[in-house]
Amino acid sequence: MSNTKKLKKGFDIRLVGQADKQITSFAKSSVFALKPSDFIGIQRPKLKVKVGDTVKAGSPVLFDKMTPEVLYTSPVSGEVVEIVRGAKRRLLEVRILADKELEYETFNQFNIADLSNVSAEQITEQLCASGVWPQIIQRPYGVVANPKDKPKAIFISSFDTHPLAPDTDFAFQGEEQHLQAGIEALSKFTNQIHVGLNAKSPSKVFSGLKGVTFTSYEGQHPAGNVGIQIHHTTPINKGDLYWTVSPAGLADIGRMLLSGKYDPQRVIAVTGSEVKKPTYTKVHAGTSIKSLVEGNVNSGHLRYISGNVLTGEKIAADGFLGYYHNQVTVIPEGDGEQEFLGWITPQAERLSFSKAFGLLSFLNPKKEYRLDTNTRGEKRRFVVSGEFEKVLPMDIYPVHLFKAILAEDYENMEALGIYELVEEDVALCEFIDVSKNDIQSILRKGLDLLQYS
């Protein structure tokens, strides 16, 4: 039986460009990329391939020297055509030219009934070898889980409240068996698997899962964030260890176990005000977005984002979809002409959380906005406005925490609840911050200090 948590804090960013609920076919990308930067926590990535090598879907491409048993594998079969490095030879991308007909590495194949008799060690070994283990994220720190650890519980949020986020019930139609197989696999590690449901629109796909505890959440964004759901179910204290898995990750795990091959297909949403035809489409992880946006966006200087506008990654028009992303967003770059006295002119065309003089968007809460990337201001000292507390539905004092991080005050960082947070949980604070600080980067600095110092 589910119970409902009502969250009073938060803020929905309503943007133009929600995807229509239909699957559209685009030309298949010929090049795919595996990006080590997608995996927070990788410290010493080591390549297992070189340019010219051929790989199958599921062939190992790289690993982290700190956890060599976890392999990061190719999403498609083909030839490694380019290894892209950045400053100080940092590994950025491994690009693979895909075969027209994909070939797959083969792993043990199970049916759901078999999975109840498989040991945790066997499941761990296969998840690590096939490339789906990185779908399991550890809290605190938000890094790829260590297979040697044992979590207190595993949390899965079945809905996404980020701006223009895809409807998971639509995106995962037909994946019910894979999702249940994923649950069976994760149950080897803990008997506490929590699934968060949207109280206003309970998922028909996810509410049918067996062997889990359901909790419904009602409220504005970030109610769909798994970190917020953990906080309102069983808050993370020092020494606690939880795992989280996204719906796409759960389906990838189940699909791999039932088919015996790594096949990271997913339905993603192509969204944003500059997309002519916002829609859903089926792609492989790591696909180039070129075919999705070419001829499908308005003219002008545009920002292409793998993910959503709050937490996504800026990429090129022919860049690649991130490992954890289920959405592509295209919005205008904010480099237009400055508005004369724009800071004081009353207007309702600009979305704002604040109800200060001249900012009238609160009068029309259902309106959708065409926002650009202009922050309309520069970094300055923290202004203690009390606004952060209104959008972060946690029993945490965020401004005090961010100041403790900047001061590298370890004791206060722990006391103020840093272990409960990852970047997506504070993204709204960054959006409304009148001081224009990079809040998500500040939080990551604090998490890295505590994890690696």
Side-chain angles (χ1 to χ4, degrees), residues 111-363:
N111 58 44
I112 290 185
D114 289 337
L115 288 173
S116 60
N117 299 318
V118 182
S119 68
E121 290 73 21
Q122 286 178 281
I123 293 289
T124 302
E125 184 178 348
Q126 183 148 329
L127 298 190
C128 289
S130 62
V132 296
W133 184 271
Q135 292 286 0
I136 303 175
I137 302 298
Q138 170 198 309
R139 296 288 186 109
Y141 305 124
V143 298
V144 175
N146 189 326
K148 296 184 178 68
D149 291 334
K150 187 174 176 60
K152 185 176 178 181
I154 298 175
F155 284 81
I156 302 159
S157 174
S158 74
F159 66 107
D160 192 340
T161 50
H162 284 95
L164 301 177
D167 182 326
T168 51
D169 230 27
F170 178 77
F172 289 92
Q173 284 178 349
E175 296 271 13
E176 291 85 349
Q177 194 176 26
H178 298 151
L179 296 169
Q180 185 61 50
I183 294 293
E184 297 295 331
L186 295 178
S187 67
K188 303 296 177 183
F189 307 108
T190 178
N191 58 5
Q192 293 188 53
I193 300 179
H194 296 267
V195 174
L197 300 175
N198 186 343
K200 285 191 172 180
S201 179
S203 166
K204 296 176 183 176
V205 173
F206 289 86
S207 59
L209 292 174
K210 299 174 183 174
V212 303
T213 301
F214 291 110
T215 305
S216 297
Y217 298 87
E218 181 179 337
Q220 303 180 86
H221 181 66
N225 285 12
V226 70
I228 304 300
Q229 297 175 9
I230 294 173
H231 178 83
H232 287 275
T233 305
T234 169
I236 302 174
N237 295 307
K238 186 177 183 180
D240 287 344
L241 186 69
Y242 294 101
W243 288 354
T244 69
V245 182
S246 69
L250 187 66
D252 277 2
I253 291 171
R255 191 182 307 111
M256 186 277 297
L257 291 170
L258 295 184
S259 67
K261 58 186 182 183
Y262 178 48
D263 184 21
Q265 289 194 49
R266 57 204 54 183
V267 173
I268 67 165
V270 183
T271 65
S273 62
E274 304 315 296
V275 176
K276 294 178 180 176
K277 185 180 180 182
T279 187
Y280 289 80
T281 189
K282 195 169 189 176
V283 298
H284 271 79
T287 185
S288 167
I289 70 165
K290 183 177 180 180
S291 64
L292 309 182
V293 300
E294 199 169 55
N296 191 28
V297 295
N298 299 323
S299 59
H301 191 193
L302 305 179
R303 172 75 62 96
Y304 297 88
I305 301 168
S306 173
N308 64 75
V309 295
L310 286 177
T311 62
E313 174 195 10
K314 178 185 177 183
I315 59 175
D318 59 352
F320 298 92
L321 185 72
Y323 182 84
Y324 297 104
H325 293 154
N326 57 358
Q327 179 182 357
V328 173
T329 311
V330 187
I331 60 174
E333 284 285 7
D335 50 5
E337 295 182 1
Q338 297 297 314
E339 299 167 342
F340 179 66
L341 295 180
W343 59 277
I344 198 170
T345 306
Q347 56 184 296
E349 297 304 315
R350 183 184 302 164
L351 176 65
S352 175
F353 177 72
S354 172
K355 298 178 182 177
F357 175 76
L359 300 174
L360 306 176
S361 63
F362 69 94
L363 296 174

